[in-house]
Amino acid sequence: MTRVRPWLFLCVLAAGCAVERPPAERGQLRQAFPMTPMAPVQLGRSVEAQLGSSVAGCRVPGFVAGAPGESATFLFLDGGTWLDAPIPGQWDAGGVGVAVGCEGPPSAIRVLTSGHLGAWSLRAGVSELLAAGPAVEAIERGPRSDTPLLLEQPSTGTVRLEMPTSSGYSSLSDVVEAPSAGAALAWAPTGEYFAVGDPEAHLARVYRWVPDGGAGGWAFDAGDVMGPAGTDFGAALAVADVHPNSGLELIVGSPSSAQVFIYSEVSGLASLLLVLEPAGCVSGSFGTSLAIEPTPIAGGTLHALWVGDPVNERVFRFVGDAGQAFTSASFGEEYFGFSLAVSEQNLIIGAPLYSEVLDNAGAVYSVPFDTVGIPSGVPMT
């Protein structure tokens, strides 16, 4: 997901959906998408908490949500239990909850969160400092327990790799390629490579693991995919099989141009397969966040792709180039879809400016994939 701060878009929210592309520029997405309302399952607990600025699924039923406005991170376990995950000495320092993650089996769940000193891991009330130094603005868990955790520190242009162990994490190597603030991270589901977005340079950089005895036992073969100049191409990333083209695809969000680009699996020179655009509105936020349904579409290998469009208060579900849009039940200015994640068979949606009870307290939605539009979960008390 992107790391753009939700409050940067406050001036845009009032404008809403005011610009329409000429039909010839919409590509294959000309149909009017039906809207299915969703209701939040979790609300922020204080004014300006901005719960839902970041969300991440766990390997077990449950997810983590960040509330950077109150420097807090919360763990939601299946069954309706919300656990506050405090970090000693961090409450007033800022940065907590800007990026979150979740790791480990049911008996040893780790909550991962950003902080002003780097990133933190919390398990059973015990905190561990990871990536000490500059603030971490993106966290990406590996697809398997034997693939590293990625931590992005844009102020130093560093992506750190931390391998999970039974006792904590072991640093493997740093990748220094100057990712800009707002960069995104994504692992290939096979664990063979990961991608780093650099929206200031409008590119996505792919690192393929080559077992040749390099740092940490691996070396990195980097390849770049360049996007349109003047855009924030690379603000959101995903890797999955979402196109009939054989193999995996690299999916790149460019919210400032309201586009999502789908490329053939990056191996040498990538080819552009498809550009997704929303029908009608193009007020610069489509592609802010991305998520992949874990189960393939019936009868095939393709997965559905979810795309956040928070300025226009909606999320899209695409199967190939066919899409459907979903909104929240409030129809208010809540920045619905700013963050997206997957928890087992549920889509997790962050709406950090939700204000029905408290101004900008934020909200989180949890929607089962098999009953899209029907919320599940238990409110926090």
Side-chain angles (χ1 to χ4, degrees):
M1 76 169 271
T2 180
R3 294 293 157 222
V4 180
R5 298 294 189 276
W7 50 84
L8 294 180
F9 288 90
L10 283 170
C11 60
V12 183
L13 281 169
C17 192
V19 183
E20 186 169 331
R21 291 187 193 279
E25 297 182 16
R26 293 183 191 162
Q28 300 177 18
L29 301 175
R30 297 189 179 93
Q31 70 269 36
F33 302 122
M35 297 283 190
T36 301
M38 302 177 184
V41 300
Q42 176 53 48
L43 303 180
R45 64 182 185 179
S46 64
V47 174
E48 302 295 342
Q50 297 187 356
L51 178 70
S53 293
S54 57
V55 291
C58 300
R59 297 191 192 276
V60 298
F63 61 90
V64 173
E70 62 172 314
S71 291
T73 303
F74 299 93
L75 169 66
F76 178 85
L77 299 176
D78 193 24
T81 302
W82 273 92
L83 301 176
D84 194 341
I87 300 176
Q90 294 283 296
W91 289 96
D92 299 324
V96 175
V98 170
V100 295
C102 189
E103 181 63 270
S107 60
I109 294 178
R110 294 180 183 274
V111 173
L112 306 166
T113 185
S114 57
H116 83 291
L117 293 176
W120 291 80
S121 166
L122 300 97
R123 183 174 67 174
V126 177
S127 60
E128 173 189 1
L129 178 63
L130 303 175
V136 166
E137 295 199 7
I139 297 173
E140 179 73 5
R141 185 192 69 198
R144 305 187 306 265
S145 59
D146 61 348
T147 48
L149 175 75
L150 303 178
L151 303 171
E152 183 245 341
Q153 296 175 303
S155 65
T156 58
T158 300
V159 176
R160 299 176 65 98
L161 286 84
E162 302 283 339
M163 182 66 80
T165 68
S166 58
S167 59
Y169 289 89
S170 175
S171 296
L172 290 184
S173 176
D174 286 346
V175 180
V176 182
E177 290 290 347
S180 57
L185 302 169
W187 267 107
T190 57
E192 297 178 56
Y193 62 88
F194 61 89
V196 179
D198 191 345
E200 287 189 3
H202 47 269
L203 66 81
R205 179 163 286 132
V206 174
Y207 296 89
R208 187 175 298 274
W209 285 22
V210 182
D212 66 354
W218 301 91
F220 299 95
D221 177 22
D224 291 349
V225 176
M226 299 295 295
T231 68
D232 54 357
F233 178 93
L237 295 174
V239 179
D241 188 358
V242 297
H243 188 277
N245 179 71
S246 62
L248 299 171
E249 286 82 45
L250 175 67
I251 306 147
V252 186
S254 177
S256 67
S257 62
Q259 294 173 307
V260 171
F261 298 82
I262 299 177
Y263 294 86
S264 61
E265 183 174 9
V266 178
S267 180
L269 183 63
S271 59
L272 179 63
L273 301 173
L274 180 65
V275 179
L276 300 177
E277 297 177 329
C281 305
V282 290
S283 54
S285 76
F286 176 82
T288 293
S289 55
L290 302 170
I292 306 296
E293 286 191 21
T295 303
I297 304 300
T301 61
L302 297 186
H303 294 253
L305 167 67
W306 287 81
V307 180
D309 186 9
V311 168
N312 298 308
E313 307 293 345
R314 58 189 180 176
V315 295
F316 288 82
R317 181 182 188 264
F318 287 95
V319 178
D321 62 3
Q324 181 178 5
F326 300 85
T327 62
S328 72
S330 71
F331 293 99
E333 295 179 351
E334 57 181 294
Y335 223 51
F336 178 80
F338 176 74
S339 59
L340 293 174
V342 171
S343 173
E344 293 284 300
Q345 293 300 316
N346 282 23
L347 178 70
I348 310 303
I349 306 169
L353 301 186
Y354 185 93
S355 302
E356 186 170 321
V357 179
L358 299 169
D359 286 349
N360 295 337
V364 178
Y365 298 71
S366 178
V367 184
F369 290 121
D370 59 355
T371 55
V372 171
I374 301 175
S376 67
V378 178
M380 184 170 90
T381 57

